[in-house]
Amino acid sequence: MNREFPISTGSKISYFIVALVTLVLGLFLWIALLSRSPGFSVFGIFLAGLSIFIVIATLKRKIVVYDDRIIHANIFRTRELPIADIKGCRVGQKVINIIPNTPSYSKITINNYIDFSGSGDLAKWLRENFTDLNEIDYQADLHSIQNDTRLGITDADKKNTINKARKTAIIYNVIGAVFIILLFVFKKSPLFDAVLLVYPFIAVVIIFTSKGLIKLFAKPHTPYYTLWMGTFGAIIPMFIKSAADYSILELNHLWLPCIIAALALGIFIQFSDPNNSATSIGSSLIFVSLIIGCLYGFSFVILSNCDFDHSPEKVFQATILDHNITHGKGRHFHILISPWGPQSNTANVDVSETEYYQDTVGSTVNVYLKKGLLNIPWYTVSK
């Protein structure tokens, strides 16, 4: 085969639209946050830079197949692999991995290969001409499960254990998805928040007791069951509630507990299934694992610190300097208040629609400062 596979026109348009939206969002955040939170305004600059990266990365991507070699080019590098040195391939729904026989060559990873024009022909050619390593791995994992004496002595016992693991994984993932809906029902509920905090650790218990059948993540095309959907289903509401419901006085006291909470979850998951190392499931899932850890660490600390804080309040007064409404995923109401007590800068605070229209510019509001269960001061604002 002598053929070049460029990025399709439709994919180029899609990526350029994403780049444009990212650029507009980045500029908006930079301008909006520059006066109120200079530190966070850097995030807007990052997004603007990311938009340029997306455009360049899209234009650089291509695959060329010759009779004697395959070339894959992207923004970071160009890799070349001789046809004679290909051990096999893994063709997934979005990613193709072409594995070499010798360590002198690096594997070729083609992410989102459906972006390329003629990607179906490329996948078909690879399957027909090289060993399907996914199928080999699947059969090896299946053979391992079928011969695992922990699952039972007879075939009926093993089938029973496998069915139980499948049902457990389904129930856990469904409940996790329901949490996202319940977020809008239990907006201010410490009990609901406590359930969210504990739920990812239930995954650890399930994995530990599943006799190797259930994992948080697993390689595609395996007979194992996963719990990542249910875990994300709990962590997303946690993050939304922690970011929207509470105002932290000083973020400097927040990061160390966040890191500790994130590491604790990661360590528990690793000990619950030590044979399923992150490196065995690919760099993309390592990235997802890091996201889960960071989101959980941040959310755990905020909700624990504020939801279960019974310290006495200190009341201060502040003047409303300005107010505005934003429209990202619904209307959100904000007021800008003057410095108060230990707060030496103005602060932008989220309020309800009722409070927004009651709190006119120039009027006074009460600021209720609390110590925090984890000694991270936080506050609320109301009339």
Side-chain angles (χ1 to χ4, degrees), residues 238-283:
M238 283 175 59
F239 181 73
I240 292 174
K241 289 174 72 66
S242 59
D245 293 352
Y246 301 105
S247 298
I248 302 299
L249 182 62
E250 292 183 12
L251 294 176
N252 294 336
H253 301 290
L254 184 65
W255 304 124
L256 181 59
C258 286
I259 293 172
I260 293 173
L263 288 176
L265 179 62
I267 291 171
F268 276 121
I269 290 172
Q270 179 60 30
F271 275 106
S272 69
D273 187 22
N275 296 323
N276 186 30
S277 63
T279 53
S280 70
I281 56 176
S283 58

Side-chain angles (χ1 to χ4, degrees), residues 197-252:
L197 292 173
V198 172
Y199 201 69
F201 285 93
I202 295 178
V204 174
V205 175
I206 292 174
I207 294 169
F208 184 75
T209 58
S210 69
K211 301 177 181 178
L213 291 173
I214 301 176
K215 305 176 183 297
L216 182 61
F217 299 112
K219 293 181 292 185
H221 311 290
T222 66
Y224 299 109
Y225 304 105
T226 65
L227 301 179
W228 68 267
M229 289 181 64
T231 304
F232 254 126
I235 291 177
I236 289 174
M238 283 175 59
F239 181 73
I240 292 174
K241 289 174 72 66
S242 59
D245 293 352
Y246 301 105
S247 298
I248 302 299
L249 182 62
E250 292 183 12
L251 294 176
N252 294 336

Side-chain angles (χ1 to χ4, degrees), residues 183-194:
L183 169 66
F184 302 98
V185 179
F186 301 106
K187 294 183 178 179
K188 297 282 187 179
S189 172
L191 178 60
F192 178 62
D193 293 353

Side-chain angles (χ1 to χ4, degrees), residues 107-314:
K107 75 173 181 179
I108 290 178
T109 299
I110 307 170
N111 294 304
N112 293 320
Y113 69 89
I114 57 174
D115 290 339
F116 294 91
S117 179
S119 59
D121 294 337
L122 175 63
K124 181 180 178 183
W125 178 77
L126 289 169
R127 287 192 181 103
E128 290 177 348
N129 290 274
F130 304 101
T131 303
D132 186 346
L133 299 178
N134 281 337
E135 181 61 25
I136 291 177
D137 287 348
Y138 181 87
Q139 293 300 329
D141 289 335
L142 188 61
H143 182 266
S144 176
I145 289 173
Q146 290 171 342
N147 290 276
D148 191 341
T149 56
R150 295 178 302 166
L151 306 182
I153 303 301
T154 66
D155 289 342
D157 291 337
K158 292 176 181 178
K159 186 176 180 180
N160 237 4
T161 304
I162 294 170
N163 285 336
K164 182 180 177 181
R166 179 179 63 83
K167 291 176 182 178
T168 301
I170 291 174
I171 291 171
Y172 180 89
N173 288 324
V174 168
I175 292 175
V178 171
F179 282 146
I180 298 177
I181 300 172
L182 294 179
L183 169 66
F184 302 98
V185 179
F186 301 106
K187 294 183 178 179
K188 297 282 187 179
S189 172
L191 178 60
F192 178 62
D193 293 353
V195 173
L196 293 177
L197 292 173
V198 172
Y199 201 69
F201 285 93
I202 295 178
V204 174
V205 175
I206 292 174
I207 294 169
F208 184 75
T209 58
S210 69
K211 301 177 181 178
L213 291 173
I214 301 176
K215 305 176 183 297
L216 182 61
F217 299 112
K219 293 181 292 185
H221 311 290
T222 66
Y224 299 109
Y225 304 105
T226 65
L227 301 179
W228 68 267
M229 289 181 64
T231 304
F232 254 126
I235 291 177
I236 289 174
M238 283 175 59
F239 181 73
I240 292 174
K241 289 174 72 66
S242 59
D245 293 352
Y246 301 105
S247 298
I248 302 299
L249 182 62
E250 292 183 12
L251 294 176
N252 294 336
H253 301 290
L254 184 65
W255 304 124
L256 181 59
C258 286
I259 293 172
I260 293 173
L263 288 176
L265 179 62
I267 291 171
F268 276 121
I269 290 172
Q270 179 60 30
F271 275 106
S272 69
D273 187 22
N275 296 323
N276 186 30
S277 63
T279 53
S280 70
I281 56 176
S283 58
S284 61
L285 288 183
I286 295 176
F287 180 68
V288 174
S289 301
L290 289 174
I291 291 177
I292 284 183
C294 292
L295 292 179
Y296 181 80
F298 175 82
S299 306
F300 177 88
V301 171
I302 295 291
L303 294 181
S304 300
N305 181 73
C306 303
D307 265 349
F308 310 106
D309 177 20
H310 301 294
S311 64
E313 296 175 334
K314 292 183 179 180

